[in-house]
């Protein structure tokens, strides 16, 4: 949460405190008619919900802000269930759009467990319905029903929890009634001829034969749906170099989904190992402020020698969609010529200087192919003008993983293998591999240098063991970093982001000794708190701070303590 005031990017998300059960109930009852129970609807067909028991991961389901994941315990039946975690202003809604018929009756049910769990349907064309339970300590079935309107062909079924509450669980979600499409329309045939084509270090191209009656296709990687397409080809990205993957496809139409095709296996080629730019094995990243907010004003030449990557904060949005520019703040009394010379001097000393895009007030939007190319072209122009080694993605107002990945790959094609790409997501952005930031990181894993998650200004969060940890502790740093390390990022692509002083953030500052203990725990298994990582990660990249200026204002205490420790890691 990089901000231009005295705090480094205050979260901007309103956090709601825990409410009493009575108040929560009152709020729930007032929200979108949440007390509809109704009589059972007439069930004319089988279950219309796809992947109703989450046996195929989150295939066919979409969960807000990466709040959903599958779990092996507890489950109502089968081997998996949904676990969804409310956080901040997000109620962890997981939804699926289902094809239905107009003027028809439907029954909706689900088995749930947890506090304040909701089941509902929207877009019915008549009265949207929902039902809920304030507390289910064991599996409890929720049921409701509805009738579609005269023009309704799809409805959205969903579950969600409540703000500030613990995770909830859902399983065996069922919607019965007439299937969508015209009466008698067949489910499409299973596609044949699935073939793997061009393979890179991070992607596999697939193609297959058209299936009769199909209007679209789902692509599965290792049994989990990763794409939906209308044609008979797809490119699966975000893969790890030198790794074997299995793929299948199914055909879909308004009536339903076919069985999955025969499996095909493809192995990605060797990659760069996620260390472009010749960054040291263990590195310290520091943000340099292009503004005066009460911290020590620095030239690039003043930045402490412990910093290996210096992120210049921030680039400016322009009127061209996706494009950015950079102008030195006049308050710094810093000429372009001296700025460029100082960057060159730092690079001659083995440092990387990159341009950070975003911050709390950053308004750069990359949401289509045109803005993606504008982003890449403008960043590359600034790299050539000032000598930047690369770019840092620090967007707090959301990002589109498809087009940001496209933009960064385009930039990589222009800049070559020495490009440095870093990211600084908030903790909520890295809680699940389905979150947009996490997906982007995995999409560009072969060209990504490091993700320095901001472990501050966030409040309590889930660790990789499913437990909730309060910020400001060794356990918070290690358990949350574990999610990324076990979620697909290489250890060299994970760094711990902390404020350099209490004035550098609204909350979450820890003494440098706590940072060092977390680094030891993750890399060597020593100095851990209560949480013990499932593995050690000797290749962990290091640490990041906001900012070099706040560090200087505090006598460089942070870099003098954390810098040597990072550089001395195994």
């Amino acid at each position: 949460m990089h901000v231009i005031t005295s705090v480094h990017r205050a979260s901007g998300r309103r956090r709601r405190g825990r409410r009493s059960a009575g108040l929560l109930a009152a709020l729930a009852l007032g929200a979108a008619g949440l007390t509809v129970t109704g009589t059972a609807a007439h069930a004319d067909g089988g279950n219309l919900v796809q992947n109703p028991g989450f046996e195929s991961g989150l295939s066919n389901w979409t969960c807000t802000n990466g709040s959903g994941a599958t779990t092996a315990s507890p489950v109502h039946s089968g081997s998996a269930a949904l676990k969804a975690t409310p956080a901040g202003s997000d109620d962890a809604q997981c939804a699926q759009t289902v094809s239905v018929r107009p003027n028809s009756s439907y029954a909706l049910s689900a088995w749930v467990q947890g506090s304040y769990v909701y089941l509902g349907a929207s877009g019915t064309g008549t009265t949207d319905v929902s039902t809920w339970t304030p507390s289910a300590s064991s599996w409890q079935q929720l049921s409701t029903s509805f009738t579609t309107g005269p023009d309704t062909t799809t409805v959205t079924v969903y579950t969600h929890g409540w703000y500030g509450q613990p995770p909830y669980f859902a399983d065996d979600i069922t919607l019965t009634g007439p299937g969508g499409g015209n009466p008698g329309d067949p489910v499409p045939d299973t596609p044949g001829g699935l073939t793997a084509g061009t393979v890179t270090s991070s992607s596999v191209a697939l193609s297959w034969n058209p299936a009769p009656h199909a209007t679209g296709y789902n692509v599965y990687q290792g049994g989990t749906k990763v794409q939906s397409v209308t044609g008979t080809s797809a490119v699966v990205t975000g893969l790890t170099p030198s790794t074997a993957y299995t793929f299948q496809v199914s055909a879909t139409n308004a009536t339903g989904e076919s069985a999955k095709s025969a499996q095909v296996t493809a192995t990605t080629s060797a990659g760069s190992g996620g260390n472009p730019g010749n960054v040291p094995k263990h590195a310290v990243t520091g943000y340099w402020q292009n503004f005066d907010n009460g911290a020590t004003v620095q030239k690039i030449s003043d930045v402490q020698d412990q910093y290996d990557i210096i992120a210049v904060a921030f680039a400016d949005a322009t009127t061209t969609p996706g494009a950015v520019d950079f102008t030195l703040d006049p308050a710094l009394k810093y000429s372009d010529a001296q700025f460029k010379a100082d960057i060159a001097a730092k690079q001659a000393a083995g440092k990387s200087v990159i341009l950070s895009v975003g911050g709390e007030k950053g308004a750069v939007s990359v949401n289509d192919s045109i803005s993606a190319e504008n982003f890449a072209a403008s960043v590359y122009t600034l790299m050539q003008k000032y000598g930047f080694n690369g770019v840092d993605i620090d967007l707090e107002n959301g990002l589109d993983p498809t087009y940001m990945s496209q933009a960064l790959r385009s930039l990589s094609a222009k800049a070559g293998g020495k490009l440095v790409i870093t990211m600084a997501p908030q903790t909520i952005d890295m809680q699940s591999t389905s979150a947009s930031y996490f997906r982007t990181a995995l999409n560009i894993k072969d060209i990504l240098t490091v993700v320095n998650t901001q472990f501050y200004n966030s409040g309590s969060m889930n660790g990789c063991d499913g437990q909730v940890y309060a910020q400001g502790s060794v356990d918070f740093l290690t358990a949350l970093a574990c999610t990324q390390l076990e979620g697909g990022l290489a250890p060299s692509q994970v760094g711990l982001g902390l404020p350099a002083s209490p004035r550098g953030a609204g909350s979450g500052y820890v003494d440098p000794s706590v940072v060092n203990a977390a680094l030891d725990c993750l890399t060597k298994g020593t100095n851990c708190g209560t949480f013990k990582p499932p593995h050690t990660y000797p290749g962990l990249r290091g640490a990041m701070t906001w900012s070099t200026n706040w560090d200087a204002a505090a006598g460089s205490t942070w870099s003098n303590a954390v810098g040597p420790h990072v550089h001395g890691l195994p």
Side-chain angles (χ1 to χ4, degrees):
M1 311 159 176
H2 307 318
V3 298
I4 301 179
T5 59
S6 62
V7 251
H8 172 42
R9 281 195 329 186
S11 153
R13 298 191 304 275
R14 292 183 181 175
R15 285 197 164 73
R16 306 181 186 182
R18 291 187 178 271
R19 298 169 169 81
S20 68
L23 177 56
L24 278 168
L27 288 171
L29 294 174
L34 299 182
T35 56
V36 179
T37 55
T39 57
H42 178 56
D44 290 334
N47 188 7
L48 302 179
V49 175
Q50 298 188 42
N51 189 25
F54 303 92
E55 309 300 327
S56 297
L58 294 180
S59 295
N60 305 103
W61 294 93
T62 300
C63 297
T64 54
N65 294 318
S67 56
T70 55
T71 181
S73 179
V75 298
H76 177 255
S77 69
S79 60
L82 170 69
K83 176 182 179 181
T85 306
S89 59
D90 177 54
D91 60 5
Q93 182 176 105
C94 294
Q96 180 179 144
T97 299
V98 181
S99 294
V100 295
R101 291 183 191 163
N103 297 317
S104 299
S105 297
Y106 292 87
L108 175 65
S109 67
W111 290 88
V112 301
Q113 188 174 144
S115 300
Y116 301 96
V117 193
Y118 300 78
L119 171 72
S122 61
T124 63
T126 54
T127 300
D128 291 348
V129 297
S130 180
T131 184
W132 68 293
T133 176
S135 180
S137 58
S138 59
W139 289 106
Q140 174 181 332
Q141 188 176 35
L142 297 177
S143 299
T144 186
S145 61
F146 60 90
T147 300
T148 53
D151 300 313
T152 303
T153 57
T154 63
V155 297
T156 298
V157 298
Y158 63 84
T159 63
H160 70 74
W162 199 253
Y163 313 103
Q165 295 299 299
Y168 71 87
F169 303 89
D171 202 0
D172 297 329
I173 300 175
T174 302
L175 179 68
T176 56
N182 297 317
D185 280 354
V187 172
D189 293 355
T190 302
L194 177 62
T195 303
T198 302
V199 172
T200 72
S201 61
S202 63
S203 66
V204 173
L206 302 170
S207 62
W208 55 90
N209 298 329
H213 312 297
T215 58
Y217 300 89
N218 291 332
V219 180
Y220 291 84
Q221 173 191 317
T224 299
K225 189 176 81 171
V226 292
Q227 284 189 42
S228 294
V229 297
T230 56
T232 56
S233 64
V235 177
V236 180
T237 61
L239 307 179
T240 301
S242 303
T243 303
Y245 292 92
T246 58
F247 303 96
Q248 294 170 285
V249 294
S250 66
T252 63
N253 63 15
T255 301
E257 180 180 15
S258 74
K260 298 184 182 70
S261 70
Q263 199 169 262
V264 66
T265 300
T267 301
T268 51
S269 59
S272 64
N275 189 31
N278 298 318
V279 172
K281 177 182 178 181
H282 300 298
V284 181
T285 301
Y287 284 82
W288 175 84
Q289 299 178 183
N290 181 38
F291 46 84
D292 180 1
N293 67 342
T296 300
V297 173
Q298 292 181 313
K299 303 288 195 293
I300 293 293
S301 57
D302 298 325
V303 173
Q304 300 88 326
D305 190 55
Q306 294 292 344
Y307 292 103
D308 304 289
I309 303 174
I310 302 166
V312 172
F314 295 99
D316 305 310
T318 71
T319 57
T320 301
V324 298
D325 201 356
F326 177 78
T327 303
L328 285 165
D329 189 327
L332 305 187
K333 299 180 173 59
Y334 204 178
S335 70
D336 270 12
Q338 188 59 54
F339 181 65
K340 294 175 186 177
D342 288 348
I343 289 175
K346 282 292 185 183
Q347 292 166 335
K351 315 297 184 182
S352 296
V353 183
I354 61 177
L355 180 62
S356 182
V357 177
E360 180 203 25
K361 298 184 178 180
V364 180
S365 179
V366 178
N367 53 19
D368 56 30
S369 294
I370 294 175
S371 59
E373 185 53 36
N374 289 342
F375 180 89
S378 62
V379 171
Y380 186 57
T381 296
L382 294 170
M383 289 175 63
Q384 292 177 304
K385 178 178 179 180
Y386 292 102
F388 295 124
N389 296 92
V391 67
D392 169 67
I393 305 302
D394 189 13
L395 297 170
E396 294 202 4
N397 299 312
L399 83 172
D400 185 305
T402 298
Y403 294 109
M404 180 51 72
S405 300
Q406 178 181 320
L408 293 171
R409 289 202 173 277
S410 177
L411 178 60
S412 176
K414 300 175 191 296
K418 293 184 178 181
L419 178 69
V420 175
I421 300 176
T422 70
M423 295 182 176
Q426 300 171 99
T427 51
I428 188 65
D429 297 323
M430 298 299 287
Q431 285 274 282
S432 165
T433 55
S434 63
S436 57
Y437 245 109
F438 211 142
R439 287 168 56 195
T440 302
L442 294 174
N443 284 350
I444 63 161
K445 183 175 176 180
D446 56 313
I447 59 172
L448 174 67
T449 307
V450 62
V451 177
N452 291 305
T453 301
Q454 300 169 46
F455 292 114
Y456 52 96
N457 285 349
S458 65
S460 298
M461 288 284 166
N462 280 345
C464 68
D465 58 353
Q467 301 301 309
V468 177
Y469 294 93
Q471 70 176 2
S473 66
V474 170
D475 286 339
F476 184 81
L477 302 180
T478 54
L480 269 67
C482 169
T483 299
Q484 301 166 44
L485 292 160
E486 294 297 311
L489 292 180
S492 64
Q493 294 172 321
V494 176
L496 310 181
L498 283 308
S501 76
R503 297 180 66 193
S507 64
Y509 171 77
V510 296
D511 189 85
S513 63
V514 177
V515 183
N516 290 344
L519 293 169
D520 288 342
C521 179
L522 292 167
T523 58
K524 298 181 286 188
T526 61
N527 293 328
C528 297
T530 303
F531 172 77
K532 308 291 184 184
H535 308 96
T536 57
Y537 313 93
L540 190 81
R541 179 67 73 179
M544 171 274 281
T545 198
W546 179 271
S547 62
T548 65
N549 307 73
W550 284 117
D551 186 24
S556 298
T557 301
W558 194 92
S559 58
N560 284 338
V562 176
H565 201 84
V566 167
H567 298 137
L569 290 174

